[in-house]
Amino acid sequence: MQIEVYPTCDSVKDLSGKTAIVIDVLRATSVITTALFNGAERVIPVPSVDEALNLAREFKGNALLGGERGAVKIPGFDLGNSPLEYKKELMAGKAVILTTSNGTRAIKASESAEHILIGCFLNASAVAEKALRFALSSETSCVALVCAGTLGEFSLDDAACAGLIVDSLVRNIERKKEPPELSDLAFACRELYLKHQDDLKALISHAAHYKKLLNLGFERDIDYCLQQDVIDCVPVYDKKL
Ligand SMILES: O=C(O)[C@H](CS(=O)(=O)O)OP(=O)(O)O
Ligand SMILES: [Mg+2]
């Protein structure tokens, strides 16, 4: 079993035969996980605002439009990119069309993978378990963690979450007595997480994106997104839809 990490969506290579876990802690994959956990029928990630608006027309007003540009809600959209907006009472049975600066691009960049799962701190153990099951039943036996990063740059929040998921994968694999092979970056992300696991917020306060969200008044989002293993829902991206 191989475990590899890509630091940004632009660094992703061919993932054929691999199981990808896309991570955008702040905030797209935390939003997707929360929306589905709270009863959304599906979340459709699209890279551009125009694509989101065109798709909403096809749904004839029966889908919610969500997302951000510059971290704030897009004019005319129903929801921004705060997971706290994606509440049970709004989500029940609804389709959500989502476009964000980094996360939805990272999902598209992972489309060559055999399976594409959505991960974040909220569902870290659950996504590791599901990825392991998929990877062990595929030929390549490889899990590729794709960090969205922020606007093309490496982002600490995604790397720390990748480290937690790598740690969870390693522990699961060791239980099965098969030694995992970690790429250099998978090893480094795991060490980063293990060193800072007792105060992740202090670590992530060094991230540029943390500072941006804090300045915009989104501290509650950050606290929410840093909770570990509070959701057991694992979104699976279906590229055929
Ligand atoms: O809203 C967010 O958290 C970011 C926006 S940006 O990176 O500050 O432009 O989007 P995401 O795609 O969820 O990283
Ligand atoms: Mg992000």
Side-chain angles (χ1 to χ4, degrees):
M1 160 75 63
Q2 283 182 322
I3 304 174
E4 57 188 30
V5 173
Y6 293 90
T8 64
C9 43
D10 301 320
S11 67
V12 176
K13 298 197 184 108
D14 181 20
L15 301 179
S16 303
K18 299 179 179 177
T19 297
I21 302 176
V22 181
I23 301 167
D24 185 1
V25 170
L26 300 174
R27 296 169 287 176
T29 59
S30 301
V31 165
I32 295 169
T33 303
T34 302
L36 291 167
F37 179 68
N38 281 343
E41 185 242 316
R42 57 180 152 153
V43 177
I44 308 165
V46 296
S48 75
V49 175
D50 281 349
E51 282 166 272
L53 291 169
N54 288 338
L55 196 55
R57 261 177 237 120
E58 282 176 33
F59 272 84
K60 298 191 192 324
N62 287 322
L64 293 170
L65 273 167
E68 57 65 45
R69 283 299 177 270
V72 297
K73 189 169 120 177
I74 298 160
F77 274 40
D78 303 294
L79 300 157
N81 198 29
S82 164
L84 300 173
E85 289 178 77
Y86 291 70
K87 295 180 197 309
K88 278 201 170 68
E89 51 272 34
L90 278 179
M91 290 300 109
K94 280 275 163 56
V96 177
I97 300 165
L98 184 75
T99 181
T100 75
S101 306
N102 311 291
T104 54
R105 269 195 336 117
I107 295 169
K108 286 283 161 199
S110 307
E111 276 193 335
S112 58
E114 187 172 337
H115 303 285
I116 304 166
L117 308 181
I118 302 298
C120 53
F121 280 112
L122 303 170
N123 71 350
S125 294
V127 79
E129 238 173 77
K130 192 161 194 154
L132 192 57
R133 259 186 281 127
F134 277 139
L136 288 174
S137 62
S138 74
E139 264 178 37
T140 59
S141 227
C142 176
V143 178
L145 292 99
V146 175
C147 297
T150 302
L151 306 174
E153 301 288 335
F154 172 87
S155 204
L156 265 179
D157 45 312
D158 296 336
C161 181
L164 165 59
I165 297 172
V166 170
D167 188 54
S168 188
L169 285 165
V170 168
R171 287 168 194 274
N172 270 297
I173 297 165
E174 279 171 352
R175 244 179 269 141
K176 295 184 198 307
K177 297 197 172 33
E178 291 170 34
E181 268 175 51
L182 305 193
S183 71
D184 286 17
L185 196 51
F187 182 88
C189 289
R190 185 183 186 207
E191 292 300 307
L192 177 77
Y193 168 75
L194 291 174
K195 181 154 190 256
H196 295 278
Q197 59 184 323
D198 296 332
D199 197 355
L200 279 175
K201 196 171 176 185
L203 170 71
I204 284 155
S205 69
H206 295 282
H209 195 197
Y210 171 97
K211 291 169 195 159
K212 179 173 180 180
L213 290 178
L214 199 67
N215 288 335
L216 288 166
F218 291 125
E219 187 169 12
R220 283 182 62 225
D221 280 11
I222 298 166
D223 291 336
Y224 174 81
C225 294
L226 295 184
Q227 297 175 99
Q228 291 175 40
D229 293 333
V230 291
I231 291 183
D232 59 6
C233 152
V234 180
V236 178
Y237 176 65
D238 185 345
K239 52 191 171 191
K240 291 190 293 298
L241 287 177

